[in-house]
Amino acid sequence: MPGGRAMQVLAEEGQLLGLLAGLVNARAVLEIGTFTGYSTLCLARALPPEGRVVTCDVTDRWPAIGAPYWRRAGVADRIDLRVADAAETLEKILVEEGPGVFDLVFVDADKVNYRRYYELSIALVRPGGLIVVDNTLFFGRVVDPHAQDPDTEGVRELNAVLRDDDRVELSMLAVADGITLARRLA
C-alpha cells in the first residue's frame, strides 16, 4: 500500500480516538481522510447505535479495504463514506446541515490542505466539541529548516494557526506522529 505504515493509524491511536469520542459523548463524527478505514472503525465502534461517522476520501479504493471489517464489527450502518474532494464535501455539509453539527472531527488527510480543513472543521464542530489533528510533528520535519516540501509547510502553517487561535483550547500529544487536540470554545 502507498505510504505503508506511515499512513496507517496505529492501534494505540485508534484506541485513543475511541476514548476521545466517548469523552465528548460523540454522536456525530467527521473524519477527513479515510485511507483503509481503521480509524473509521475505531470511531464508529465508540458511538451509540444511532451515531454516525461521515468519512471523506478522494477515492473509494482504500476505504474498500475497511468496509468488510465495518460490516463484521456491526457498525457499517453508522458510516457514511463520501468520495470526493474533502473540502468540497465539508462545504456541502456546512450548507446542507449548518454549523456545529459534529461532536468530534478527525483530520488526517493531505497535509497541504490542513489549514483549509481546520477552518471548515471549526465551523462544523459544536462549541465544546473536539478537533483531533494527526501528524502535527510530521516525522520531525516541522522543526527541520531544510524541510521545505509542501506537506511539511502545510503542517507548519496549521501548527502556527493553532498556536495563535483563541477559538480553541489546545494540547499536543507526542503520540504516533504527533496528535493535536483542539477543543472548540464557545
Side-chain angles (χ1 to χ4, degrees), residues 2-182:
R5 289 184 180 182
M7 286 182 58
Q8 185 63 52
V9 166
L10 299 174
E12 297 83 2
E13 188 174 0
Q15 180 184 21
L16 176 63
L17 288 169
L19 175 67
L20 293 171
L23 288 172
V24 298
N25 294 312
R27 294 184 177 286
V29 172
L30 175 62
E31 178 182 46
I32 306 166
T34 313
F35 192 44
T36 61
Y38 177 68
S39 54
T40 315
L41 174 64
C42 294
L43 289 163
R45 289 183 66 207
L47 298 179
E50 69 280 0
R52 72 177 178 137
V53 175
V54 175
T55 185
C56 308
D57 211 289
V58 72
T59 178
D60 61 357
R61 180 179 182 192
W62 306 117
I65 293 169
Y69 298 97
W70 301 342
R71 288 190 294 276
R72 193 165 134 192
V75 295
D77 61 328
R78 299 177 198 170
I79 299 169
D80 177 5
L81 173 63
R82 310 269 180 108
V83 178
D85 175 83
E88 291 173 12
T89 300
L90 302 183
E91 289 166 355
K92 184 177 179 181
I93 293 170
L94 194 53
V95 168
E96 292 175 356
E97 298 184 39
V101 295
F102 292 99
D103 304 300
L104 185 144
V105 178
F106 178 48
V107 182
D108 187 17
D110 56 302
K111 311 313 176 218
V112 173
N113 288 305
Y114 257 27
R115 182 172 183 178
R116 187 171 180 202
Y117 298 147
Y118 173 70
E119 291 300 335
L120 289 163
S121 296
I122 280 286
L124 287 164
V125 73
R126 67 169 166 78
L130 188 63
I131 300 171
V132 181
V133 184
D134 201 9
N135 307 116
T136 51
L137 294 176
F138 207 52
F139 310 104
R141 293 197 304 237
V142 293
V143 295
D144 179 357
H146 300 291
Q148 299 295 321
D149 60 280
D151 287 332
T152 302
E153 289 294 327
V155 176
R156 271 192 201 118
E157 178 187 20
L158 177 62
N159 286 344
V161 167
L162 286 165
R163 178 196 64 216
D164 298 332
D165 193 344
D166 60 1
R167 299 172 295 177
V168 295
E169 178 178 38
L170 287 179
S171 181
M172 179 186 271
L173 307 176
V175 174
D177 191 26
I179 300 168
T180 297
L181 308 177

